[in-house]
Amino acid sequence: MIPIKTAAEITLMRQVCRAAAAVLDELTLLVRPGVTTQELDEAARNIMAAHGVESASLNYKHGRHRYPAYTCISVNEEVVHGIPGKRIIHTGDIVSLDVVVRAKGFVGDNARTVLVEPVAADVRALCKTTEEALHVGIAQARPGNRVHDISHAIERHVRFANYGIVEQFVGHGVGRGMHEEPQVPNLGRPGTGALLRPGMTLAIEPMINLGKPAVIVTQDGWTAVTKDGSPSAHYEHTVLITDGEPEILTRAA
Ligand code: MF3
Ligand code: CO
């Protein structure tokens, strides 16, 4: 069952998603050579408090694992769910920031990859294509389409470049919970999957590798890295299906 949000719920989703976007924007400004991912996470904690929202990642449970930080910060070969720590950011790195916050019972989820310039041309192109793929996917988030129309659009946009599309992690419904139905894969067959209806809220989040698609989860139980060590990019928005154009909820005011 895919939840359809009421008008009142959509109002709350708009509020929490706007805050999620503001937190991500402010955190982006702090990414620079010499900072550690843990310092960024501590800043995120303060930024969230200033916006009156809580981290939805902190203490999030998956199986026997409990997520220990306010944000996910994934550097270079780290794909998603990187746990902030002592890793120092260097010039040429790409840093994927994933911010998921909760307020008044609702969750907003967004992510972006920040380039610590100068970044190698092939890595820059990977990031650009991944961000484009997110928007090409969002454009399919309209009533009458099906979930895998989004997936297929992302896949098609990325295929020409011979990148690795991550299959192990997917987008998802988001609302009262961080992860609701449906799953939103980043590749798939058009015309399949659940029918999209106004009032659905989806987190669309392509994760694309410069090399092969395979990822492995490290010893910490969370941090996913590319198996071949190649860099990976990640962009995400929470989107509302409306009667017409998709509404990007995680857009800073
Ligand atoms: N956007 C990520 C996801 O949907 C956020 C994960 S937060 C974590 O998986 F706490 F689960 F790591
Ligand atoms: Co997500």
Side-chain angles (χ1 to χ4, degrees):
M1 250 286 290
I2 301 176
I4 302 290
K5 274 74 179 179
T6 64
E9 289 173 330
I10 288 168
T11 298
L12 295 173
M13 280 297 287
R14 281 199 185 98
Q15 289 174 9
V16 71
C17 286
R18 195 167 304 145
V23 172
L24 180 57
D25 273 355
E26 290 178 40
L27 190 57
T28 297
L29 297 174
L30 303 179
V31 177
R32 55 174 175 79
V35 73
T36 67
T37 53
Q38 188 173 327
E39 287 165 348
L40 291 171
D41 195 58
E42 282 160 12
R45 177 195 60 200
N46 296 333
I47 297 167
M48 288 176 192
H51 285 272
V53 297
E54 288 181 354
S55 169
S57 306
L58 185 67
N59 295 323
Y60 182 81
K61 285 176 199 63
H62 183 255
R64 59 191 177 85
H65 297 284
R66 209 159 59 99
Y67 191 75
Y70 293 84
T71 60
C72 301
I73 304 183
S74 309
V75 184
N76 295 344
E77 78 290 349
E78 296 173 346
V79 178
V80 278
H81 303 165
I83 301 177
K86 295 192 185 333
R87 187 165 182 166
I88 298 170
I89 302 305
H90 295 103
T91 299
D93 285 350
I94 56 170
V95 183
S96 298
L97 305 173
D98 196 335
V99 168
V100 197
V101 300
R102 181 187 300 277
K104 297 179 190 165
F106 287 86
V107 173
D109 188 357
N110 65 170
R112 78 164 61 106
T113 301
V114 181
L115 289 73
V116 186
E117 300 287 7
V119 166
D122 56 346
V123 179
R124 174 199 307 276
L126 169 74
C127 295
K128 179 168 180 277
T129 298
T130 306
E131 186 171 20
E132 288 167 359
L134 168 60
H135 288 281
V136 162
I138 290 171
Q140 296 301 317
R142 39 178 72 252
N145 275 359
R146 291 181 180 271
V147 171
H148 298 166
D149 291 321
I150 298 171
S151 312
H152 184 71
I154 292 169
E155 176 181 2
R156 272 199 46 179
H157 187 74
V158 166
R159 278 299 182 209
F160 77 91
N162 212 26
Y163 294 141
I165 302 176
V166 174
E167 293 189 51
Q168 202 167 317
F169 297 94
V170 295
H172 49 92
V174 56
R176 291 186 187 275
M178 190 198 303
H179 294 137
E180 299 183 343
E181 285 186 59
Q183 293 197 359
V184 184
N186 291 307
L187 72 182
R189 270 185 45 199
T192 69
L195 199 55
L196 299 177
R197 297 177 52 200
M200 291 178 176
T201 45
L202 305 179
I204 302 174
E205 52 178 317
M207 288 151 270
I208 311 292
N209 303 342
L210 189 58
K212 297 250 155 38
V215 304
I216 40 184
V217 175
T218 60
Q219 280 298 326
D220 65 25
W222 290 97
T223 310
V225 299
T226 57
K227 200 173 169 200
D228 62 9
S230 68
S232 183
H234 178 209
Y235 292 80
E236 175 177 28
H237 273 306
T238 299
V239 175
L240 170 70
I241 314 291
T242 74
D243 291 327
E245 294 299 311
E247 182 179 332
I248 298 177
L249 299 179
T250 42
R251 185 97 91 184

